[in-house]
Amino acid sequence: ASASLFKVAETGEGGLEAVQELLEAGADPGHADREGVTCLMHAASRGDLEVMQALLQAGAPWHDLDCEGNSAGEYASGMGHTGAVQLLLEWAVQAELILGALERSRKRRSAGGEQEGVGGAGERVEEGIEAASRDKPIDFETASNADYLASKVEYSQDTLVDAEGEAVMMEWERPLMERHAAMLCAAGGDVMNVGFGMGIVDGCIASHAPRSHTIVEAHPGVLARMRAEGWYDRPGVRVVEGRWQDVLRQLDSYDGIFFDTYGEDGEDLREFHRHLPALLKPKGIYSFFNGLCPDNMFFNVVQGEIIKRELHTMDIETSYEPIKMNPLPESIWKGIKHRYWHLPAYMLPRCVKQ
Ligand SMILES: C[S@@+](CC[C@H](N)C(=O)[O-])C[C@H]1O[C@@H](n2cnc3c(N)ncnc32)[C@H](O)[C@@H]1O
C-alpha cells in the first residue's frame, strides 16, 4: 500500500479518494524512495493541497529531507506553489510551537524533581508526540556557553575562533552587520549591542554616531581585545562586562538593540526576548543575527516565523528583509571546523516595539 500511495502522490492519479483509501489500508504516509523523496514532497511539487493535508494529518513529517537536503518546503517553493508553501509553513509553525511548549514543560518538571511515569494521560500524549518527532530538525547550536566563556579565543585578520576551532565570527558577515547597524541607528538615539566578537557591528554602529553606544560582552579574551582597541575610552561608548543574563540590572532602555552571542541556543534567544519589552523604548528597533537553522532555507523561515509570533505577543512586530547571498568561496572555511552558513538568502529581522 505504501508504494501505491507514493505513486498516487507523485502522479495525482486517483486524487484524495485514493490517498484516503490507501492510508486506511495501512500505507505509510511518510514513505520515501531511495533518494529520500517522500510522498509529501511529490504532493508539494504538484501543489496538491488536499493530498498534502491528508498526508500531514496522517502523520507525514513536514521536515523530512531528501538526499540533497531539501524538504517538502523546497519542493513546493521550487515549483512556485505559494499555497503549498503556506500550508507547510503553517503546519510546521504550529507543530514546532506545540513541541517547543511540551519540551519546556518537560524540562521544568524534570528540573522540579517530578517523578517520571506518574503524569497520566497528558504525559502519554506528550511522549507520543515526542516519539513522532524523534529526529526533529529544528534546533539551534548546542555548544555550552559556559565552556566557551571559560576557554581561549583566537583572533586572526578575518576570523575569531574558539578553542575547538569553531568560528565565533567571520569577516564575510560584514555586509550583513552594516545592514543591521544602519537599521538600528536610523533614529539616532541610544543603541546597544550584545556580543562584540570582532567588533564589526560595533564599528558600523559607531560610524552612525548614535547618542550613546552600549556594548555587552562576556568573554575575557574579547574584553581584552576591546581594551587594546580603545573601545573603553571612546566617547559615548559604555562597555558592560559580563553575560547579558547577569548584567540586565545595569542596562537601560534603548532605541536600537542588536543581539549576536555565541554558544547559546534557541532557549537563550527566547529568554533574551522576554526582556525586550523592558529594554526597548517605544518605537525602538530590535534585530538579531539570523543564523537560525543555517542548513535549510525552509527551516530558517519556519523558525523566523515562530520568533515573529512570539514577539507579537509582546507587542513587537517583526518583518524579514531577504538579502540574496552569493555562494561563499570554499577558501574562507579553511581551518574552520564547521561551515556555519549554507543558505541562499539571509532573512534580516526588523522587530519594532509598538
Ligand atoms: C558572533 S560574536 C558577535 C559578532 C559581532 N556581531 C561582530 O560584528 O563582530 C558573539 C560574541 O558574543 C559573546 N558572548 C557569548 N555569550 C555571551 C553572553 N551570554 N553575554 C554576552 N556576550 C556573550 C562572545 O564572546 C562573542 O564575542
Side-chain angles (χ1 to χ4, degrees):
S2 297
S4 307
L5 178 66
F6 190 83
K7 193 99 189 120
V8 175
E10 186 177 10
T11 60
E13 273 166 33
L16 181 62
E17 217 171 297
V19 167
Q20 276 164 343
E21 269 172 29
L22 288 162
L23 287 171
E24 269 162 37
D28 171 11
H31 186 73
D33 68 10
R34 267 202 242 139
E35 271 76 50
V37 180
T38 64
C39 301
L40 185 63
M41 290 171 193
H42 274 314
S45 60
R46 291 188 301 102
D48 190 333
L49 302 186
E50 281 185 332
V51 168
M52 288 169 69
Q53 191 92 42
L55 291 168
L56 287 165
Q57 274 165 1
W62 67 269
H63 54 67
D64 271 348
L65 297 174
D66 68 12
C67 294
E68 291 182 357
N70 297 307
S71 71
E74 276 80 28
Y75 278 78
S77 60
M79 299 302 285
H81 296 307
T82 45
V85 174
Q86 266 326 105
L87 170 64
L88 287 164
L89 182 61
E90 194 53 39
W91 186 278
V93 167
Q94 295 302 338
E96 295 302 316
L97 281 171
I98 294 167
L99 285 167
L102 285 171
E103 179 64 13
R104 281 188 287 281
S105 112
R106 193 182 60 77
K107 278 195 186 141
R108 260 198 313 277
R109 275 192 280 133
S110 59
E114 209 169 290
Q115 276 181 6
E116 291 198 12
V118 294
E123 189 157 291
R124 284 198 298 278
V125 171
E126 182 177 325
E127 278 167 6
I129 294 178
E130 274 181 12
S133 65
R134 216 167 283 127
D135 52 355
K136 187 161 76 83
I138 289 221
D139 225 330
F140 296 83
E141 166 138 17
T142 49
S144 143
N145 192 240
D147 287 351
Y148 159 70
L149 292 175
S151 64
K152 284 216 158 59
V153 289
E154 202 180 310
Y155 284 93
S156 68
Q157 204 190 336
D158 289 341
T159 54
L160 168 61
V161 292
D162 71 6
E164 305 291 319
E166 301 281 5
V168 177
M169 182 64 186
M170 296 178 77
E171 183 61 32
W172 67 262
E173 289 187 38
R174 181 175 291 278
L176 302 176
M177 294 298 133
E178 282 167 355
R179 300 284 284 264
H180 280 289
M183 177 205 293
L184 296 171
C185 296
D190 303 305
V191 177
M192 170 169 76
N193 171 44
V194 182
F196 179 82
M198 292 171 69
I200 299 178
V201 84
D202 285 298
C204 300
I205 290 171
S207 74
H208 292 278
R211 182 165 52 225
S212 74
H213 180 176
T214 301
I215 307 170
V216 180
E217 173 56 50
H219 197 290
V222 177
L223 289 165
R225 173 85 165 195
M226 292 173 73
R227 211 168 280 115
E229 286 184 351
W231 281 93
Y232 283 69
D233 309 317
R234 285 199 183 202
V237 171
R238 175 179 174 226
V239 179
V240 180
E241 298 186 353
R243 297 175 72 230
W244 62 264
Q245 295 87 336
D246 301 332
V247 299
L248 284 164
R249 280 161 177 270
Q250 298 173 44
L251 305 179
D252 302 311
S253 57
Y254 302 91
D255 300 286
I257 298 178
F258 186 57
F259 185 88
D260 181 13
T261 63
Y262 178 75
E264 299 202 302
D265 63 16
E267 284 308 308
D268 297 299
L269 184 64
R270 281 186 96 243
E271 175 63 20
F272 184 73
H273 289 174
R274 288 204 313 113
H275 298 283
L276 279 178
L279 290 171
L280 274 177
K281 291 188 192 179
K283 301 285 164 219
I285 300 177
Y286 163 68
S287 195
F288 58 92
F289 175 69
N290 189 353
L292 307 165
C293 305
D295 296 328
N296 179 288
M297 198 65 229
F298 186 65
F299 295 177
N300 175 269
V301 170
V302 168
Q303 204 52 252
E305 184 62 27
I306 290 171
I307 287 176
K308 179 176 175 164
R309 293 188 194 192
E310 288 178 343
L311 290 177
H312 173 74
T313 66
M314 303 171 201
D315 243 2
I316 297 170
E317 299 305 336
T318 303
S319 55
Y320 292 94
E321 182 196 342
I323 296 176
K324 189 177 176 311
M325 298 288 289
N326 293 322
L328 297 166
E330 275 306 314
S331 55
I332 67 161
W333 301 108
K334 204 167 163 262
I336 301 291
K337 200 161 163 196
H338 287 112
R339 211 184 141 130
Y340 66 91
W341 186 264
H342 303 268
L343 303 182
Y346 180 80
M347 305 299 277
L348 186 90
R350 182 174 194 271
C351 317
V352 184
K353 183 170 168 177
Q354 300 306 294

